[in-house]
Amino acid sequence: MAIEKENNNNEPKPVGAFGRSFITLYEVFGFIGRFFKEVFIPPYEFKELMRQCYEIGYRSALLISTTGFITGLVFTKQSRPSLSEFGATSWLPSLVGIALLRTLAPLLTGLIAAGKVGSSIGAELGSMKVSEQIDAMEVSATNPFKFLVVTRVLAATITMPILTFYTAMIGMLGALLNVSVNEGTSATTFFQSALENITFLDIIASTIKAIIFGFTIAIVGCYQGYHSSKGTEGVGKAANSAVVTAMFLIFIEEVVCVQFFSLFNT
């Protein structure tokens, strides 16, 4: 009995929620640090990188096109009554251009990608983790982190700015349809008005935000999938956590970026 009591006293105490948070934070930063280390070390998986760019970019185009077009159409329709009270409906193209390029296009694209791309990455890597495919890659002298994580994070980071400006263009087409039907504005006049107040800083800000969003979505999805467990239940949790966490971080990053870039507009 004395020995049992001594062994029980020597058992490590369970880590509380506060301690687990620090452990998770340490693992996340270690995961990100490993990415920046592996990304510069050969060999480089260019073929897999191109495949991931296709999967993330091309396969998301239809959903982004539909969402962007409807957003531009609805935003223009909802903004008209407020502007018409002041006789300023001619400002609609400029308003739509500024709103889409500065905020709506990066944020909308980020949220869509978080739901589609983030969940896909989390589920795919989680399935490979629980089925021990990642362990098999390590045994066969393949670097699974470089092949699975680095390529996906780079692909999302490269593809997101392209998708963002594509969303802005499709959104403007939706706005153009509404303005043309109601005001009879030509496409040339619409795009001249929409783009005349767009500055180089707006383009740079949207590009930087898209890069940050893409990196966040992919690194969160890869981390959740790479550390999933408990069979199929863990795969589902990894996909769900990837979406929720990525969306939460995107909103925080949006607020920080808006505050940061507003310093240059003053």
Side-chain angles (χ1 to χ4, degrees):
M1 295 298 293
I3 295 176
E4 289 182 1
K5 185 176 181 180
E6 184 178 352
N7 289 337
N8 290 334
N9 291 334
N10 292 331
E11 289 180 357
K13 295 182 179 179
V15 180
F18 191 72
R20 285 196 301 269
S21 300
F22 273 100
I23 294 174
T24 303
L25 195 63
Y26 173 79
E27 292 177 347
V28 169
F29 279 106
F31 192 81
I32 297 173
R34 185 180 177 186
F35 164 78
F36 283 108
K37 177 184 177 182
E38 295 281 358
V39 73
F40 297 108
I41 301 175
Y44 305 108
E45 304 287 350
F46 289 110
K47 185 177 180 180
E48 178 65 12
L49 176 61
M50 292 298 103
R51 191 182 76 83
Q52 290 302 322
C53 286
Y54 172 81
E55 292 291 333
I56 294 172
Y58 180 77
R59 292 189 180 277
S60 302
L62 180 61
L63 179 59
I64 287 177
S65 300
T66 305
T67 308
F69 187 85
I70 293 174
T71 299
L73 185 68
V74 172
F75 182 81
T76 307
K77 184 177 180 62
Q78 296 297 325
S79 300
R80 177 176 286 102
S82 299
L83 293 178
S84 62
E85 293 180 3
F86 301 96
T89 52
S90 60
W91 293 358
L92 266 175
S94 180
L95 175 64
V96 171
I98 292 173
L100 281 173
L101 282 171
R102 287 185 181 178
T103 301
L104 288 179
L107 185 60
L108 187 65
T109 308
L111 294 176
I112 293 174
K116 187 179 187 303
V117 177
S119 62
S120 175
I121 292 175
E124 184 179 8
L125 266 63
S127 177
M128 296 181 70
K129 178 69 175 180
V130 300
S131 61
E132 298 182 350
Q133 294 182 48
I134 295 179
D135 296 333
M137 292 177 69
E138 292 178 346
V139 172
S140 61
T142 303
N143 187 343
F145 191 93
K146 180 179 287 292
F147 187 81
L148 299 175
V149 176
V150 173
T151 54
R152 282 163 173 78
V153 175
L154 282 179
T157 306
I158 294 170
T159 307
M160 277 296 293
I162 301 173
L163 292 177
T164 294
F165 290 109
Y166 175 75
T167 303
M169 182 190 71
I170 295 298
M172 286 187 184
L173 291 178
L176 171 62
L177 176 63
N178 187 278
V179 172
S180 298
V181 170
N182 290 276
E183 278 84 28
T185 305
S186 65
T188 303
T189 304
F190 174 85
F191 282 107
Q192 285 179 347
S193 301
L195 299 176
E196 65 180 355
N197 292 319
I198 301 299
T199 64
F200 183 71
L201 178 62
D202 295 330
I203 303 297
I204 294 297
S206 294
T207 303
I208 292 175
K209 285 197 289 185
I211 290 173
I212 294 173
F213 294 166
F215 177 83
T216 300
I217 292 165
I219 204 73
V220 169
C222 289
Y223 174 81
Q224 295 292 344
Y226 214 77
H227 292 85
S228 64
S229 58
K230 298 180 181 179
T232 55
E233 181 184 355
V235 175
K237 287 183 178 180
N240 181 68
S241 299
V243 175
V244 174
T245 306
M247 286 185 173
F248 177 73
L249 291 176
I250 284 173
F251 282 117
I252 294 177
E253 290 165 352
E254 173 69 19
V255 173
V256 173
C257 289
V258 167
Q259 295 297 323
F260 175 77
F261 288 109
S262 65
L263 299 176
F264 298 93
N265 289 322
T266 56

